[in-house]
Amino acid sequence: MADFDSSSRTLSNESVHSEESFFSDEDLTPEQMNELLQQAAQRLKAGQLARTPSTTVKIPKLQHATLPAPYVKTVGRIARAESKAFVPDSDRSALEKPRTIVDPVTAKQSRIKAKETLSDWYNLPRTDLTPEFKRDLQLLNMRSVLDPHRMYKKAGKFKVPEYSQMGVLVEGPTEFFSGRIQKKDRKKTFVEDALATEAKTGRFKMKYGEVQMSKMSGKKAFYKALKAKRKSGVKG
């Protein structure tokens, strides 16, 4: 009862006198006490509602922009969408321009023509691959077999260089007798020079014979050749 307002507990003298005349603390039952408490609580609630001023909530107006026009339109029973709505305006101008189709072959040729020479290598031209020049490059790649007394770095798989140029060896004026090549010994290509050297030395022919002899060793042809040598009186 301490939570109740003083106004709720204010009763007229007549009501208090009438209640005291009919009921006393000993005569009230628990049900009657609960009923009196509920009535007091209802009077308190009614008094608070009467004193509370009515407040109205004002909802602010929403500021909205204009909505874009729909890009889907219904024609009869069919819904159709505008193709321009799928592409942004920034990209639409680029798409509407005519496209130029570039031929990859011509594009590659133009790039090749742009670099006919290497400026960093004294304008070294592109390789003019002729059959003679290709044979010379193959011989240079296998130069380790030409001279057994020289050691060369392994060249690996043969590959035609993209830029190359052939030159002519010119001896100095002080090398007329020591470094000069006579006209009869001069050849146009490396292959011709290697064949001329082989005709003098016969090294490749000798090596070929040794390889064939090792392959035929122990076979029928080997014993036939050995018998022919013995009949002719040649010691094997």
Side-chain angles (χ1 to χ4, degrees), residues 102-153:
V102 180
D103 188 7
V105 177
T106 57
K108 185 177 180 179
Q109 290 178 355
S110 61
R111 290 194 299 269
I112 292 174
K113 290 181 180 178
K115 292 184 178 181
E116 287 292 339
T117 58
L118 292 178
S119 58
D120 297 338
W121 291 85
Y122 304 99
N123 295 326
L124 188 67
R126 295 184 64 84
T127 301
D128 185 12
L129 191 62
T130 59
E132 295 80 7
F133 187 39
K134 185 177 181 180
R135 285 195 293 267
D136 289 344
L137 292 175
Q138 291 174 346
L139 184 63
L140 288 175
N141 191 50
M142 298 182 294
R143 61 184 180 273
S144 58
V145 300
L146 297 177
D147 192 349
H149 303 291
R150 290 188 180 184
M151 300 298 294
Y152 295 99
K153 183 180 178 181

Side-chain angles (χ1 to χ4, degrees), residues 51-65:
R51 290 193 303 270
T52 303
S54 61
T55 57
T56 57
V57 180
K58 294 183 178 180
I59 299 175
K61 294 182 178 181
L62 299 177
Q63 297 180 357
H64 60 85

Side-chain angles (χ1 to χ4, degrees), residues 37 39 52 71 156:
L37 290 173
Q39 292 177 2
T52 303
Y71 58 88

Side-chain angles (χ1 to χ4, degrees), residues 2-201:
D3 295 337
F4 294 155
D5 195 4
S6 60
S7 60
S8 64
R9 291 180 295 174
T10 304
L11 300 174
S12 62
N13 294 328
E14 296 177 356
S15 62
V16 172
H17 180 69
S18 61
E19 290 176 358
E20 289 178 354
S21 60
F22 289 103
F23 302 102
S24 63
D25 295 339
E26 297 177 356
D27 297 336
L28 293 174
T29 61
E31 290 80 5
Q32 292 174 348
M33 290 290 291
N34 292 333
E35 185 179 357
L36 290 174
L37 290 173
Q38 290 178 1
Q39 292 177 2
Q42 291 177 359
R43 289 195 297 270
L44 177 61
K45 187 176 181 180
Q48 289 179 353
L49 291 174
R51 290 193 303 270
T52 303
S54 61
T55 57
T56 57
V57 180
K58 294 183 178 180
I59 299 175
K61 294 182 178 181
L62 299 177
Q63 297 180 357
H64 60 85
T66 57
L67 296 175
Y71 58 88
V72 179
K73 296 181 180 180
T74 304
V75 181
R77 295 184 179 180
I78 301 174
R80 298 183 181 276
E82 296 181 2
S83 59
K84 293 183 179 180
F86 297 104
V87 183
D89 296 337
S90 58
D91 300 335
R92 190 179 302 164
S93 59
L95 293 175
E96 290 178 352
K97 292 181 180 179
R99 292 184 60 186
T100 57
I101 300 175
V102 180
D103 188 7
V105 177
T106 57
K108 185 177 180 179
Q109 290 178 355
S110 61
R111 290 194 299 269
I112 292 174
K113 290 181 180 178
K115 292 184 178 181
E116 287 292 339
T117 58
L118 292 178
S119 58
D120 297 338
W121 291 85
Y122 304 99
N123 295 326
L124 188 67
R126 295 184 64 84
T127 301
D128 185 12
L129 191 62
T130 59
E132 295 80 7
F133 187 39
K134 185 177 181 180
R135 285 195 293 267
D136 289 344
L137 292 175
Q138 291 174 346
L139 184 63
L140 288 175
N141 191 50
M142 298 182 294
R143 61 184 180 273
S144 58
V145 300
L146 297 177
D147 192 349
H149 303 291
R150 290 188 180 184
M151 300 298 294
Y152 295 99
K153 183 180 178 181
K154 291 184 178 180
K157 188 177 180 180
F158 173 71
K159 184 179 179 181
V160 178
E162 188 176 359
Y163 294 90
S164 61
Q165 189 176 16
M166 293 290 292
V168 180
L169 181 62
V170 180
E171 67 276 359
T174 59
E175 298 175 346
F176 184 80
F177 296 101
S178 60
R180 184 174 64 89
I181 302 176
Q182 297 182 3
K183 289 184 178 181
K184 62 179 181 178
D185 296 333
R186 290 180 182 271
K187 305 298 177 182
K188 294 182 179 180
T189 60
F190 291 149
V191 177
E192 293 179 0
D193 191 8
L195 292 176
T197 305
E198 169 61 20
K200 291 181 180 179
T201 59

